Amino acid sequence: MLTEQNILSLFESHGVPQKGIPLDFLPSDQLVLKLTLRFKIEFAVMFTIGQFNYYLYSGNQNSVNLPISSNEILLKHTHPRGTPFPSPDDINWLITAQSFGLPQVQSVILPIGKNRVTFRSTTPTS
């Protein structure tokens, strides 16, 4: 069973999963940042409406490939390079999800070395 305490060691010993992994807990900002610092890649946390599960996704240094639907909520994701504003892909994800009927209006970026940032589809990208 995955826990906040063992997820880092599990990834170190078995590698970072290539697809989203279901979790029965909401990963803390500290854990997601710790994973990003250790593996130097972007991580994202999503919630699936109707399944009542959280999912942890891994990507690369610049992005993470996430599902988009009317029941996937992007709670937070990291920016390994510390960029404190949303990328065009971040904004496009929100806009596309809203076009599918998702009521989500904002999400959170966890930029390495900076304070967490809340963004909306109208937030400037630079």
Side-chain angles (χ1 to χ4, degrees), residues 77 79 83-91 109 117-120 122-126:
H77 71 284
H79 279 184
T83 307
F85 48 83
S87 70
D89 287 337
D90 296 338
I91 299 296
I109 296 168
V117 175
T118 299
F119 72 97
R120 295 174 169 263
T122 57
T123 303
T125 58
S126 60

Side-chain angles (χ1 to χ4, degrees), residues 28-103:
S28 67
D29 290 359
Q30 293 79 12
L31 174 62
V32 181
L33 287 165
K34 187 184 287 186
L35 290 170
T36 293
L37 285 168
R38 169 63 182 89
F39 297 103
K40 310 284 190 257
I41 59 174
E42 192 170 306
F43 283 87
V45 177
M46 297 188 75
F47 179 78
T48 303
I49 299 169
Q51 293 183 10
F52 305 106
N53 279 336
Y54 297 98
Y55 286 86
L56 179 64
Y57 289 87
S58 61
N60 57 43
Q61 288 183 341
N62 300 314
S63 67
V64 58
N65 189 19
L66 299 172
I68 301 177
S69 72
S70 62
N71 66 339
E72 301 288 348
I73 297 175
L74 175 57
L75 298 175
K76 56 189 167 187
H77 71 284
T78 58
H79 279 184
R81 294 182 177 162
T83 307
F85 48 83
S87 70
D89 287 337
D90 296 338
I91 299 296
N92 287 337
W93 190 95
L94 272 181
I95 291 169
T96 302
Q98 289 167 354
S99 76
F100 289 155
L102 184 70

